[in-house]
Every structure is written in C-alpha cells, then in structure tokens.
C-alpha cells in the first residue's frame, strides 16, 4: 500500500511523543497484507441523502471473524519472536478479541489458550473452540479468568495478547485509517466505535498524520463509557459496568493504561455518547436500509448520525466495526422490539 504523506503535520508536533506512529501502522499494513481482509468502503445512499454529504461505510463485518479485531491481534502475533510463538499465546477474552487471537494463532500454527469463567455461555465457548483454541475454564468471573492469564504468563511462559492497550495491537487497528484515506481522500469526518480505544486511537494516528484537518470522533454507549469518563477526568478512571446492547464496548480502559488513553486524549476531536434506544435504531437501520447484520458496538456510528448527535459537514466515513450479534436478539431488535 502506498500512501502520500501529508507535509503539514507529523505526530511529533504534539507535546509528548505518542506511543504509536504512522510508520508503525504502515509496517503493520505490510505485515497484514494477505492475512486480513482489505475491507470495502461502500457508499450509503440512504445516509448520504439524509445528511447532504457523501457517507461511506467501512465494512469490518467482512473480516473472517466478523470484526476488525483480527487486524490488531494478527499484527501483535506476527511481531513476536520465534521463541514466544513456540511457547504459545493466552488471553481471557470470549468476545471478538478472543476470536481474533484464536483465528490468527490457528492460521499461523501457534497454540492459543483462552481462559474463561464457568459462567460463559456454551455457545460462546464452542465458537472459540471451533476456531482452534484451547479452552481453560477457571473460576466464576472474568477477574478469575484474567488471573489465570497472569498465572500462565508468569509460570507457563505464555504470551498474553491484550485486547487494546498494546502498541502492536493499536498499529494493526490503525491500518483501517490508511485504507479509509486511500479510498476516500476527501474525508472530512470519521466516526469510530470507542471502548478501550485501540480502534479509535490507531485510526486517529493514521488519519491525523495523513489528513490533519479531518475530524476524528469516538462513539460510545451512555452506559459505562470508560474512555469518555477518563478523557474528561484527565486520567484513566473506572466506571460502573452496565449491561448494554453494545456489549463489545463494555469494560474499563485499565487504570494503568499505557497506550490508548494518551492517543485518545491527544487525537480525538470529540467523544459522543448514544443511548440504548439509539443503538437499537442503528442496528435496525443497518438491517433495513443497508442490508447489514451489525452488532450493537458496530452500530453506534449509525446511531449517532440518525440521532443527530454529530454535525456532518462534509464527506464522512462510519466504521462498522463488527457483526457478531446473537441471532435471536438481532431479530427482536429489527422486528422493532424494545432495547
Ligand atoms: C472491541 C470492539 C470495539 C471497540 O474497540 P476498542 O479498541 O476497544 O475501542 C468496537 N466494536 C467492536 C465490534 C469490537 O469488537
């Protein structure tokens, strides 16, 4: 992939050097070529008409695991040395990150162990097992599973692949930004689902380096928006976790956050919060108007535009980050059921 570098901004013009560079993202893109999908950026006629500017959708739902997380996990694993690869990988995620680590490890012939609590539903366990990972059931909470990850990294020599707060993971997610600018050089606004900030942080590094005048906006759910609360507080803070339709956006950013907080604080122009009803409307819009099955986390961009929560003032890209939603829940929502 060749990208013309914009001359008027280098990331180093920020006060402190940021933990991920455009160069790291370009290297990730070279590493990922042929190993993850270069996803299409498709025009939404419906939204373009609605807002009066071209609106394009970046379809990360088309990655082999149904979400963008494959980019970061694959880049982080490919960046490991032979010895660490041979010893194997471990993570505690049962969601899209767990799928990504399992899939990438299987493709690369590396052992991956996914630790999970006994409360994880059987269908989620089987989905990860089917991708080739070893399952380790420990305790009765996500914290118990995370403790097992730490034990296996210390005593078992396994390498933990974190879901967002890791420079190689962020660089992998940032390759989406390179692709969007390449396909849409007149980009004015980009809307990005935001949880731990690996996706938004990585894309922001690429977009702000190549197109400094573009607006980069993170979108979270109102219920438990940890990065929003942290940026407001000026330091990583924890928030109460609540159930949400955007389940892939749940969880904290880590009080000892090293990478993504700094990126989001420095580079995001705004963080917008959407309600559960607005997320449901986003999922419905995706199904009825765009022909897409999108999970709650992947629908927050639609939600924000439909609710008028972002002012659109030029060509806009929406990152549609994932499509892994329980089919029964999806049906209830698109049939108009309550959130
Ligand atoms: C993980 C995830 C996000 C959020 O990514 P972060 O890097 O944690 O901000 C958004 N959408 C989907 C579908 C995800 O799986």
């Amino acid at each position: 992939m060749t990208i013309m570098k914009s001359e008027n901004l280098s990331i180093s013009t920020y006060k402190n050097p940021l933990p991920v560079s455009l160069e790291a993202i370009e290297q990730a893109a070279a590493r990922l070529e042929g190993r993850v999908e270069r996803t299409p950026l498709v025009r939404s006629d419906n939204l373009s008409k609605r807002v009066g500017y071209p609106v394009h959708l970046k379809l990360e739902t088309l990655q082999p695991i149904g979400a963008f997380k494959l980019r970061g996990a694959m880049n982080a694993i490919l960046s490991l040395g032979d010895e660490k690869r041979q010893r194997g990988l471990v993570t505690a995620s049962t969601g899209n990150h767990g799928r990504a680590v399992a899939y990438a490890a299987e493709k690369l012939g590396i052992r991956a162990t996914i630790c999970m609590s006994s409360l994880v539903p059987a269908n989620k366990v089987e989905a990860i097992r089917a991708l080739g990972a070893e399952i380790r059931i420990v305790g009765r909470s996500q914290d118990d599973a995370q403790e097992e990850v730490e034990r296996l990294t210390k005593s078992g020599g396994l390498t933990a692949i974190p879901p967002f707060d890791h420079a190689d993971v962020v660089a992998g997610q940032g390759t989406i930004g390179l692709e969007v600018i390449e396909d849409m050089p007149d980009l004015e606004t980009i809307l990005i689902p935001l949880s731990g900030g690996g996706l938004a942080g990585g894309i922001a590094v690429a977009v702000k380096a190549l197109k400094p005048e573009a607006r980069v906006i993170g979108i979270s759910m109102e219920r438990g928006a940890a990065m929003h609360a942290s940026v407001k507080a000026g330091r990583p803070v924890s928030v109460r976790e609540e159930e949400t339709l955007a389940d892939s956006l749940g969880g904290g950013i880590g009080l000892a956050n090293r990478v993504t907080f700094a990126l989001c604080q420095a580079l995001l122009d705004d963080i917008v919060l959407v309600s559960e009803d607005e997320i449901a409307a986003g999922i419905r819009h995706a199904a009825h108007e765009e022909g897409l099955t999108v999970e709650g986390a992947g629908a927050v961009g639609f939600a924000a535009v439909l609710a008028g929560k972002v002012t659109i003032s030029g060509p806009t890209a929406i990152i549609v980050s994932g499509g892994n939603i329980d089919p029964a829940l999806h049906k209830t929502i698109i049939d108009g059921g309550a959130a």
Side-chain angles (χ1 to χ4, degrees):
M1 180 180 312
T2 50
I3 301 272
M4 294 298 294
K5 220 179 187 173
S6 154
E7 275 155 3
N8 39 6
L9 180 137
S10 75
I11 291 294
S12 60
T13 58
Y14 291 96
K15 273 198 299 283
N16 300 309
L18 289 172
V20 177
S21 65
L22 176 64
E23 290 68 28
I25 296 173
E26 287 170 336
Q27 285 161 10
R31 227 176 260 128
L32 293 179
E33 202 167 336
R35 299 196 189 267
V36 306
E37 282 301 314
R38 192 206 187 285
T39 55
L41 187 72
V42 301
R43 183 184 160 91
S44 165
D45 286 331
N46 182 290
L47 290 182
S48 300
K49 227 177 259 160
R50 213 182 266 259
V51 304
Y53 293 97
V55 177
H56 285 71
L57 312 176
K58 181 68 167 166
L59 299 184
E60 288 298 302
T61 49
L62 297 178
Q63 292 295 348
I65 60 146
F68 73 90
K69 287 232 173 45
L70 190 54
R71 296 177 185 256
M74 186 71 90
N75 187 52
I77 296 168
L78 287 168
S79 303
L80 295 174
D82 281 345
E83 200 189 315
K84 285 188 171 172
R85 289 201 207 188
Q86 252 150 38
R87 290 211 199 119
L89 312 171
V90 62
T91 185
S93 164
T94 58
N96 289 330
H97 177 64
R99 289 178 193 235
V101 170
Y103 179 95
E106 163 92 350
K107 283 280 173 212
L108 299 171
I110 300 173
R111 274 182 56 196
T113 303
I114 317 285
C115 301
M116 46 184 90
S117 89
S118 59
L119 298 183
V120 173
N123 60 335
K124 268 195 158 177
V125 179
E126 286 322 307
I128 300 243
R129 202 196 303 276
L131 290 168
E134 287 169 37
I135 310 292
R136 201 171 177 103
I137 309 273
V138 265
R140 294 184 58 79
S141 71
Q142 182 63 20
D143 285 348
D144 292 340
Q146 190 53 46
E147 271 176 32
E148 181 71 359
V149 169
E150 272 137 43
R151 208 185 60 72
L152 289 173
T153 55
K154 287 204 186 90
S155 68
L158 303 191
T159 298
I161 305 292
F164 55 85
D165 197 29
H166 187 294
D168 296 329
V169 172
V170 173
Q173 323 303 26
T175 58
I176 295 170
L178 299 184
E179 294 173 14
V180 169
I181 297 289
E182 195 173 57
D183 292 352
M184 200 179 184
D186 59 348
L187 178 79
E188 200 262 348
T189 299
I190 185 163
L191 307 181
I192 312 170
L194 172 65
S195 176
L199 179 65
I203 292 176
V205 169
V207 168
K208 290 289 183 183
L210 298 167
K211 186 104 188 157
E213 66 280 14
R215 286 189 306 156
V216 180
I217 299 177
I219 306 172
S220 299
M221 66 292 181
E222 289 172 353
R223 290 191 177 177
M227 186 62 84
H228 178 255
S230 299
V231 169
K232 252 175 70 178
R235 67 191 156 82
V237 295
S238 53
V239 297
R240 197 160 63 89
E241 260 201 71
E242 296 179 72
E243 230 188 289
T244 169
L245 280 176
D247 56 323
S248 294
L249 299 186
I253 70 164
L255 295 181
N257 187 292
R258 290 177 307 136
V259 178
T260 58
F261 173 72
L263 294 177
C264 289
Q265 191 180 39
L267 300 177
L268 297 189
D269 293 287
D270 200 3
I271 299 175
V272 169
L273 304 183
V274 290
S275 71
E276 296 300 300
D277 283 344
E278 288 161 356
I279 296 168
I283 293 172
R284 264 196 300 278
H285 171 91
H288 295 318
E289 307 297 342
E290 317 288 353
L292 299 170
T293 300
V294 175
E295 62 177 281
V300 295
F302 294 124
V305 171
L306 295 171
K309 285 190 168 173
V310 284
T311 36
I312 304 295
S313 44
T316 298
I318 298 177
I319 307 300
V320 185
S321 54
N324 293 320
I325 183 169
D326 175 64
L329 173 64
H330 189 249
K331 185 169 188 317
T332 306
I333 293 169
I334 66 174
D335 289 349

